[in-house]
């Protein structure tokens, strides 16, 4: 449903509303015949439904169209950019998921003590800040004053895995900060609820060591809702990527969309956005799957 | 704890006699709210009267003194065409503090109407509208904004509409769940028995009783609206030059921070940070005051 709506919006926003595409590309002084000819080549003078159907069916078959600006197929650009964005998102996720969960768990175990206050308040304040603001402040601290990390994510050609990783640390930090607060808060409230439950009391009363209670009984129940939250955060993460990739001049899907939007390169823009929609849908599916794996209660009968 | 005793938030509790004073006093006791409110008030004052106490004209360039580091003359230094950063930071609060509240207002009005409709009628209306709203909520604001701005061009109005409509479903969801609880109460049945129209029942009977959750959601959304407006300005899709807007200033100057000109971006970044945190603290206070 979201994908369908997104595709309609992208289509309408990208192709119909701006009016004359040929005019937009060739500029206001171009000959009207040239504009018509270009419109015809691009196919933007066909009826709307035909255009929409043609675009969607081609997209499903892997043909994303031809970039207006580069005059070459869009697909390689999008795939390349998606790969780069995945790297950046992966670094941010690998950092934030364990640390966020750990933060939430530690806060819950120290409920209402200073440590809990620091984690909760700190998490909340970094979460509400726009990525580019934390990004700028981090660049100033680590890139300009301390000179520990490069201020741009564009690594040298043929850079190895660790060099790439080194270049990705700073860009992934703002994403980390935004997500940290959400994940820690979910993990914390999940933990508090699980710690307060009857099964935890039973486990304690039957004499299990505290460590075992936490690992076997509390954590598993506490982290279930957190997984769903992490999946829904992919949407925010993608929004964040657009900003972060622009700030760090990183060739990802976010900056691809951004550049395409600025240059009115509609096939590129539409394909980029639809690709993001698909990634989001897949992430949600994976989360549902993980949730059912980890939660035996909603597993289907045939599994048992 | 307090002289005024409040009960737990049952649906009935949202309907209080003379509740405004009660909420007002519990807000005054909330340290979180007061700190947040003070920060916001400071920036509102800057937005309203900034140019009277800013030491320089925020738009006046002075190319000879371009990129001067902070000094006693220019507290926050000057930017690449010699404009005084301190004055720009002060006056820079104006646009974001107009656009973000207007967007929030639009979101609140649209969201409340949608929430009342879906919550009151349930059934088919609810199913269809709720599915569409859910699909909308899954799309990041930045993406919607990019599309809208490509299609409609850049202007403050576009930003207000984009953010307003992106946030409306979230408010609608909150209002809907509040209305679902309200509509089972006797006063709604009474109104229906009097053959009041559905519109009357929704807006005159139910609406006043769901104001508290709407208020909380609105203050929270205001924080996100500032987040979004600042981000869009930074991307070049929001407030346009020559406004001294913070996000815009950062986007114009961050290309040079590799050269060590930190003062051209740091103060704007801190200003955004303080405003966002201020609004969120205030929102937290309002939430606490209404849910005690």
């Amino acid at each position: 449903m979201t994908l369908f709506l997104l595709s309609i919006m992208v289509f309408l926003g990208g192709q119909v509303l701006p009016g004359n595409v040929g005019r937009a590309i060739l500029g206001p002084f171009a000959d009207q015949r040239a504009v018509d000819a270009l419109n015809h080549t691009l196919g933007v003078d066909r009826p709307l439904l035909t255009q929409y159907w043609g675009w969607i069916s081609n997209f499903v078959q892997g043909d994303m169209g031809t970039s207006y600006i580069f005059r070459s197929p869009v697909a390689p650009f999008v795939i390349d950019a998606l790969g780069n964005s995945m790297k950046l998102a992966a670094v941010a996720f690998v950092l934030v998921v364990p640390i966020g969960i750990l933060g939430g768990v530690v806060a819950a175990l120290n409920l209402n003590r200073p440590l809990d206050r620091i984690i909760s308040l700190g998490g909340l304040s970094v979460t509400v800040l726009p990525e580019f603001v934390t990004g700028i402040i981090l660049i100033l601290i680590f890139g300009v004053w301390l000179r520990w990390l490069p201020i741009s994510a564009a690594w040298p050609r043929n850079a190895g895995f660790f060099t790439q990783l080194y270049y990705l640390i700073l860009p992934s930090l703002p994403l980390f900060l935004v997500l940290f607060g959400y994940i820690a808060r979910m993990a914390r409230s999940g933990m508090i609820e699980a710690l307060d439950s009857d099964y935890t009391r039973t486990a304690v009363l039957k004499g299990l060591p505290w460590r075992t209670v936490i690992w076997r009984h509390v954590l598993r129940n506490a982290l279930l809702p957190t997984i769903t939250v992490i999946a829904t955060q992919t949407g925010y993460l993608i929004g964040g990527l657009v900003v972060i990739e622009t700030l760090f001049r990183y060739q990802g899907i976010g900056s691809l969309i951004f550049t395409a939007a600025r240059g009115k390169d509609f096939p590129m823009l539409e394909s980029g956005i639809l690709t993001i929609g698909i990634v989001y849908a897949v992430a949600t599916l994976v989360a549902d799957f993980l949730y059912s794996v980890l939660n035996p209660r909603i597993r289907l009968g045939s599994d048992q | 704890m307090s002289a005024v005793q409040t009960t737990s938030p049952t649906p009935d509790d949202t309907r209080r006699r003379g509740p405004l004073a009660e909420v007002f006093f519990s807000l005054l006791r909330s340290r979180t709210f007061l700190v947040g409110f003070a920060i916001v008030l400071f920036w509102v004052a800057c937005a309203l009267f900034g140019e009277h106490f800013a030491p320089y004209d925020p738009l006046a360039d002075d190319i000879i003194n371009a990129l001067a580091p902070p000094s006693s003359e220019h507290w926050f230094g000057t930017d690449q065409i010699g404009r005084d950063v301190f004055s720009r930071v002060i006056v820079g609060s104006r646009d974001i503090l107009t656009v973000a509240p207007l967007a929030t207002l639009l979101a609140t009005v649209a969201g409340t109407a949608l929430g009342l409709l879906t919550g009151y009628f349930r059934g088919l209306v609810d199913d269809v509208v709720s599915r569409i709203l859910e699909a909308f909520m899954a799309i990041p604001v930045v993406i919607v904004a990019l599309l809208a701005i490509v299609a409609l061009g850049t202007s403050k109005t576009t930003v207000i509409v984009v953010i307003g409509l992106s946030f409306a479903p979230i408010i609608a969801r909150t209002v809907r769940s509040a209305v679902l609880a309200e509509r089972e109460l006797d006063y709604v049945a009474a109104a229906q028995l009097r053959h009041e129209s559905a519109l009357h029942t929704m807006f005159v009977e139910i609406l006043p009783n769901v104001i508290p959750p709407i208020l909380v959601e609105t203050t929270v959304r205001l924080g996100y609206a500032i987040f979004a407006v600042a981000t869009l300005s930074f991307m070049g899709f929001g407030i346009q030059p020559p406004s001294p807007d913070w996000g815009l200033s950062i986007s114009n100057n961050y290309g040079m921070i590799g050269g060590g000109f930190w003062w051209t971006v740091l103060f704007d970044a801190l200003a955004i940070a303080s405003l966002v945190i201020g609004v969120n603290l205030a929102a937290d206070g309002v939430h606490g005051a209404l849910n005690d």
Side-chain angles (χ1 to χ4, degrees), chain A residues 217-240:
Chain A
H217 295 263
V218 178
L219 270 182
R220 190 163 165 175
N221 287 295
L223 298 185
L224 278 175
T226 316
I227 292 167
T228 329
V229 167
I230 291 173
T232 54
Q233 293 307 317
T234 37
Y236 288 92
L237 187 70
I238 290 162

PDB file of all heavy atoms in Angstrom, chain A residues 217-240:
ATOM      1  N   HIS A 217      15.402 -14.775  30.892  1.00  0.00           N
ATOM      2  CA  HIS A 217      13.979 -14.467  31.067  1.00  0.00           C
ATOM      3  C   HIS A 217      13.628 -13.026  30.700  1.00  0.00           C
ATOM      4  O   HIS A 217      12.609 -12.775  30.079  1.00  0.00           O
ATOM      5  CB  HIS A 217      13.551 -14.750  32.509  1.00  0.00           C
ATOM      6  CG  HIS A 217      13.652 -16.192  32.860  1.00  0.00           C
ATOM      7  ND1 HIS A 217      12.584 -17.039  32.812  1.00  0.00           N
ATOM      8  CD2 HIS A 217      14.712 -16.939  33.222  1.00  0.00           C
ATOM      9  CE1 HIS A 217      12.979 -18.256  33.152  1.00  0.00           C
ATOM     10  NE2 HIS A 217      14.265 -18.221  33.402  1.00  0.00           N
ATOM     11  N   VAL A 218      14.484 -12.099  31.107  1.00  0.00           N
ATOM     12  CA  VAL A 218      14.096 -10.698  30.929  1.00  0.00           C
ATOM     13  C   VAL A 218      14.425 -10.189  29.535  1.00  0.00           C
ATOM     14  O   VAL A 218      13.563  -9.682  28.822  1.00  0.00           O
ATOM     15  CB  VAL A 218      14.781  -9.813  32.003  1.00  0.00           C
ATOM     16  CG1 VAL A 218      14.423  -8.359  31.775  1.00  0.00           C
ATOM     17  CG2 VAL A 218      14.372 -10.266  33.378  1.00  0.00           C
ATOM     18  N   LEU A 219      15.696 -10.372  29.129  1.00  0.00           N
ATOM     19  CA  LEU A 219      16.154  -9.751  27.887  1.00  0.00           C
ATOM     20  C   LEU A 219      15.305 -10.145  26.697  1.00  0.00           C
ATOM     21  O   LEU A 219      14.884  -9.310  25.911  1.00  0.00           O
ATOM     22  CB  LEU A 219      17.613 -10.137  27.619  1.00  0.00           C
ATOM     23  CG  LEU A 219      18.641  -9.199  28.216  1.00  0.00           C
ATOM     24  CD1 LEU A 219      20.044  -9.646  27.851  1.00  0.00           C
ATOM     25  CD2 LEU A 219      18.402  -7.777  27.715  1.00  0.00           C
ATOM     26  N   ARG A 220      15.035 -11.412  26.563  1.00  0.00           N
ATOM     27  CA  ARG A 220      14.339 -11.886  25.378  1.00  0.00           C
ATOM     28  C   ARG A 220      12.963 -11.243  25.244  1.00  0.00           C
ATOM     29  O   ARG A 220      12.557 -10.856  24.158  1.00  0.00           O
ATOM     30  CB  ARG A 220      14.203 -13.399  25.472  1.00  0.00           C
ATOM     31  CG  ARG A 220      13.728 -13.986  24.195  1.00  0.00           C
ATOM     32  CD  ARG A 220      13.985 -15.452  24.173  1.00  0.00           C
ATOM     33  NE  ARG A 220      13.219 -16.066  23.103  1.00  0.00           N
ATOM     34  CZ  ARG A 220      13.320 -17.330  22.773  1.00  0.00           C
ATOM     35  NH1 ARG A 220      14.140 -18.105  23.439  1.00  0.00           N
ATOM     36  NH2 ARG A 220      12.595 -17.807  21.793  1.00  0.00           N
ATOM     37  N   ASN A 221      12.275 -11.110  26.349  1.00  0.00           N
ATOM     38  CA  ASN A 221      10.962 -10.478  26.307  1.00  0.00           C
ATOM     39  C   ASN A 221      11.054  -8.966  26.142  1.00  0.00           C
ATOM     40  O   ASN A 221      10.203  -8.348  25.516  1.00  0.00           O
ATOM     41  CB  ASN A 221      10.184 -10.796  27.580  1.00  0.00           C
ATOM     42  CG  ASN A 221       9.712 -12.225  27.577  1.00  0.00           C
ATOM     43  OD1 ASN A 221       8.907 -12.609  26.753  1.00  0.00           O
ATOM     44  ND2 ASN A 221      10.255 -13.026  28.474  1.00  0.00           N
ATOM     45  N   ALA A 222      12.128  -8.415  26.739  1.00  0.00           N
ATOM     46  CA  ALA A 222      12.229  -6.957  26.741  1.00  0.00           C
ATOM     47  C   ALA A 222      12.561  -6.425  25.355  1.00  0.00           C
ATOM     48  O   ALA A 222      12.142  -5.339  24.985  1.00  0.00           O
ATOM     49  CB  ALA A 222      13.292  -6.508  27.734  1.00  0.00           C
ATOM     50  N   LEU A 223      13.321  -7.209  24.588  1.00  0.00           N
ATOM     51  CA  LEU A 223      13.843  -6.654  23.344  1.00  0.00           C
ATOM     52  C   LEU A 223      12.915  -6.831  22.155  1.00  0.00           C
ATOM     53  O   LEU A 223      13.157  -6.290  21.092  1.00  0.00           O
ATOM     54  CB  LEU A 223      15.214  -7.263  23.042  1.00  0.00           C
ATOM     55  CG  LEU A 223      16.229  -6.919  24.125  1.00  0.00           C
ATOM     56  CD1 LEU A 223      17.601  -7.424  23.747  1.00  0.00           C
ATOM     57  CD2 LEU A 223      16.284  -5.406  24.359  1.00  0.00           C
ATOM     58  N   LEU A 224      11.830  -7.575  22.331  1.00  0.00           N
ATOM     59  CA  LEU A 224      10.917  -7.783  21.210  1.00  0.00           C
ATOM     60  C   LEU A 224      10.372  -6.481  20.630  1.00  0.00           C
ATOM     61  O   LEU A 224      10.481  -6.243  19.427  1.00  0.00           O
ATOM     62  CB  LEU A 224       9.769  -8.701  21.632  1.00  0.00           C
ATOM     63  CG  LEU A 224      10.120 -10.188  21.579  1.00  0.00           C
ATOM     64  CD1 LEU A 224       8.979 -11.003  22.129  1.00  0.00           C
ATOM     65  CD2 LEU A 224      10.416 -10.594  20.155  1.00  0.00           C
ATOM     66  N   PRO A 225       9.791  -5.610  21.470  1.00  0.00           N
ATOM     67  CA  PRO A 225       9.275  -4.368  20.882  1.00  0.00           C
ATOM     68  C   PRO A 225      10.378  -3.523  20.266  1.00  0.00           C
ATOM     69  O   PRO A 225      10.151  -2.811  19.286  1.00  0.00           O
ATOM     70  CB  PRO A 225       8.634  -3.627  22.060  1.00  0.00           C
ATOM     71  CG  PRO A 225       8.869  -4.441  23.261  1.00  0.00           C
ATOM     72  CD  PRO A 225       9.519  -5.711  22.901  1.00  0.00           C
ATOM     73  N   THR A 226      11.585  -3.630  20.821  1.00  0.00           N
ATOM     74  CA  THR A 226      12.694  -2.837  20.298  1.00  0.00           C
ATOM     75  C   THR A 226      12.969  -3.174  18.838  1.00  0.00           C
ATOM     76  O   THR A 226      13.280  -2.295  18.033  1.00  0.00           O
ATOM     77  CB  THR A 226      13.958  -3.091  21.137  1.00  0.00           C
ATOM     78  OG1 THR A 226      13.593  -3.078  22.509  1.00  0.00           O
ATOM     79  CG2 THR A 226      14.992  -2.037  20.881  1.00  0.00           C
ATOM     80  N   ILE A 227      12.834  -4.449  18.487  1.00  0.00           N
ATOM     81  CA  ILE A 227      13.100  -4.864  17.107  1.00  0.00           C
ATOM     82  C   ILE A 227      12.146  -4.168  16.145  1.00  0.00           C
ATOM     83  O   ILE A 227      12.557  -3.665  15.096  1.00  0.00           O
ATOM     84  CB  ILE A 227      12.956  -6.391  16.980  1.00  0.00           C
ATOM     85  CG1 ILE A 227      14.091  -7.045  17.750  1.00  0.00           C
ATOM     86  CG2 ILE A 227      12.977  -6.815  15.528  1.00  0.00           C
ATOM     87  CD1 ILE A 227      13.888  -8.501  17.964  1.00  0.00           C
ATOM     88  N   THR A 228      10.884  -4.095  16.523  1.00  0.00           N
ATOM     89  CA  THR A 228       9.917  -3.420  15.660  1.00  0.00           C
ATOM     90  C   THR A 228      10.298  -1.954  15.497  1.00  0.00           C
ATOM     91  O   THR A 228      10.229  -1.400  14.397  1.00  0.00           O
ATOM     92  CB  THR A 228       8.505  -3.501  16.273  1.00  0.00           C
ATOM     93  OG1 THR A 228       8.424  -4.717  17.005  1.00  0.00           O
ATOM     94  CG2 THR A 228       7.460  -3.475  15.216  1.00  0.00           C
ATOM     95  N   VAL A 229      10.712  -1.340  16.607  1.00  0.00           N
ATOM     96  CA  VAL A 229      11.091   0.069  16.534  1.00  0.00           C
ATOM     97  C   VAL A 229      12.276   0.263  15.610  1.00  0.00           C
ATOM     98  O   VAL A 229      12.293   1.167  14.772  1.00  0.00           O
ATOM     99  CB  VAL A 229      11.413   0.604  17.939  1.00  0.00           C
ATOM    100  CG1 VAL A 229      12.094   1.943  17.842  1.00  0.00           C
ATOM    101  CG2 VAL A 229      10.147   0.726  18.730  1.00  0.00           C
ATOM    102  N   ILE A 230      13.256  -0.635  15.714  1.00  0.00           N
ATOM    103  CA  ILE A 230      14.434  -0.504  14.866  1.00  0.00           C
ATOM    104  C   ILE A 230      14.017  -0.550  13.399  1.00  0.00           C
ATOM    105  O   ILE A 230      14.500   0.222  12.575  1.00  0.00           O
ATOM    106  CB  ILE A 230      15.452  -1.621  15.189  1.00  0.00           C
ATOM    107  CG1 ILE A 230      16.039  -1.381  16.579  1.00  0.00           C
ATOM    108  CG2 ILE A 230      16.562  -1.661  14.148  1.00  0.00           C
ATOM    109  CD1 ILE A 230      16.919  -2.491  17.086  1.00  0.00           C
ATOM    110  N   ALA A 231      13.074  -1.430  13.066  1.00  0.00           N
ATOM    111  CA  ALA A 231      12.635  -1.531  11.673  1.00  0.00           C
ATOM    112  C   ALA A 231      11.927  -0.255  11.229  1.00  0.00           C
ATOM    113  O   ALA A 231      12.169   0.232  10.120  1.00  0.00           O
ATOM    114  CB  ALA A 231      11.708  -2.720  11.495  1.00  0.00           C
ATOM    115  N   THR A 232      11.075   0.305  12.099  1.00  0.00           N
ATOM    116  CA  THR A 232      10.375   1.523  11.680  1.00  0.00           C
ATOM    117  C   THR A 232      11.345   2.690  11.561  1.00  0.00           C
ATOM    118  O   THR A 232      11.073   3.648  10.851  1.00  0.00           O
ATOM    119  CB  THR A 232       9.257   1.924  12.657  1.00  0.00           C
ATOM    120  OG1 THR A 232       9.831   2.014  13.961  1.00  0.00           O
ATOM    121  CG2 THR A 232       8.143   0.917  12.670  1.00  0.00           C
ATOM    122  N   GLN A 233      12.480   2.583  12.252  1.00  0.00           N
ATOM    123  CA  GLN A 233      13.446   3.667  12.171  1.00  0.00           C
ATOM    124  C   GLN A 233      14.129   3.734  10.817  1.00  0.00           C
ATOM    125  O   GLN A 233      14.768   4.727  10.505  1.00  0.00           O
ATOM    126  CB  GLN A 233      14.511   3.527  13.268  1.00  0.00           C
ATOM    127  CG  GLN A 233      13.992   3.711  14.665  1.00  0.00           C
ATOM    128  CD  GLN A 233      13.235   4.997  14.822  1.00  0.00           C
ATOM    129  OE1 GLN A 233      13.657   6.025  14.334  1.00  0.00           O
ATOM    130  NE2 GLN A 233      12.095   4.944  15.474  1.00  0.00           N
ATOM    131  N   THR A 234      14.034   2.670  10.009  1.00  0.00           N
ATOM    132  CA  THR A 234      14.678   2.739   8.696  1.00  0.00           C
ATOM    133  C   THR A 234      14.113   3.915   7.897  1.00  0.00           C
ATOM    134  O   THR A 234      14.822   4.528   7.129  1.00  0.00           O
ATOM    135  CB  THR A 234      14.507   1.436   7.893  1.00  0.00           C
ATOM    136  OG1 THR A 234      13.210   0.918   8.142  1.00  0.00           O
ATOM    137  CG2 THR A 234      15.553   0.434   8.248  1.00  0.00           C
ATOM    138  N   GLY A 235      12.841   4.226   8.097  1.00  0.00           N
ATOM    139  CA  GLY A 235      12.262   5.378   7.421  1.00  0.00           C
ATOM    140  C   GLY A 235      12.982   6.661   7.804  1.00  0.00           C
ATOM    141  O   GLY A 235      13.422   7.417   6.943  1.00  0.00           O
ATOM    142  N   TYR A 236      13.149   6.864   9.124  1.00  0.00           N
ATOM    143  CA  TYR A 236      13.871   8.052   9.591  1.00  0.00           C
ATOM    144  C   TYR A 236      15.308   8.016   9.090  1.00  0.00           C
ATOM    145  O   TYR A 236      15.870   9.020   8.695  1.00  0.00           O
ATOM    146  CB  TYR A 236      13.900   8.099  11.119  1.00  0.00           C
ATOM    147  CG  TYR A 236      12.585   8.428  11.733  1.00  0.00           C
ATOM    148  CD1 TYR A 236      11.701   7.435  12.103  1.00  0.00           C
ATOM    149  CD2 TYR A 236      12.219   9.753  11.945  1.00  0.00           C
ATOM    150  CE1 TYR A 236      10.491   7.736  12.669  1.00  0.00           C
ATOM    151  CE2 TYR A 236      11.014  10.068  12.512  1.00  0.00           C
ATOM    152  CZ  TYR A 236      10.147   9.054  12.879  1.00  0.00           C
ATOM    153  OH  TYR A 236       8.951   9.352  13.435  1.00  0.00           O
ATOM    154  N   LEU A 237      15.881   6.813   9.109  1.00  0.00           N
ATOM    155  CA  LEU A 237      17.275   6.670   8.708  1.00  0.00           C
ATOM    156  C   LEU A 237      17.457   7.149   7.273  1.00  0.00           C
ATOM    157  O   LEU A 237      18.415   7.841   6.954  1.00  0.00           O
ATOM    158  CB  LEU A 237      17.684   5.197   8.836  1.00  0.00           C
ATOM    159  CG  LEU A 237      19.159   4.925   8.605  1.00  0.00           C
ATOM    160  CD1 LEU A 237      19.967   5.495   9.751  1.00  0.00           C
ATOM    161  CD2 LEU A 237      19.423   3.437   8.481  1.00  0.00           C
ATOM    162  N   ILE A 238      16.496   6.802   6.408  1.00  0.00           N
ATOM    163  CA  ILE A 238      16.591   7.198   5.004  1.00  0.00           C
ATOM    164  C   ILE A 238      16.490   8.710   4.874  1.00  0.00           C
ATOM    165  O   ILE A 238      17.253   9.339   4.149  1.00  0.00           O
ATOM    166  CB  ILE A 238      15.496   6.493   4.185  1.00  0.00           C
ATOM    167  CG1 ILE A 238      15.829   5.002   4.111  1.00  0.00           C
ATOM    168  CG2 ILE A 238      15.408   7.087   2.794  1.00  0.00           C
ATOM    169  CD1 ILE A 238      14.674   4.132   3.735  1.00  0.00           C
ATOM    170  N   GLY A 239      15.553   9.308   5.632  1.00  0.00           N
ATOM    171  CA  GLY A 239      15.471  10.763   5.635  1.00  0.00           C
ATOM    172  C   GLY A 239      16.792  11.367   6.071  1.00  0.00           C
ATOM    173  O   GLY A 239      17.277  12.338   5.493  1.00  0.00           O
ATOM    174  N   GLY A 240      17.379  10.753   7.105  1.00  0.00           N
ATOM    175  CA  GLY A 240      18.655  11.235   7.610  1.00  0.00           C
ATOM    176  C   GLY A 240      19.768  11.087   6.589  1.00  0.00           C
ATOM    177  O   GLY A 240      20.647  11.935   6.485  1.00  0.00           O
TER     178      GLY A 240
END
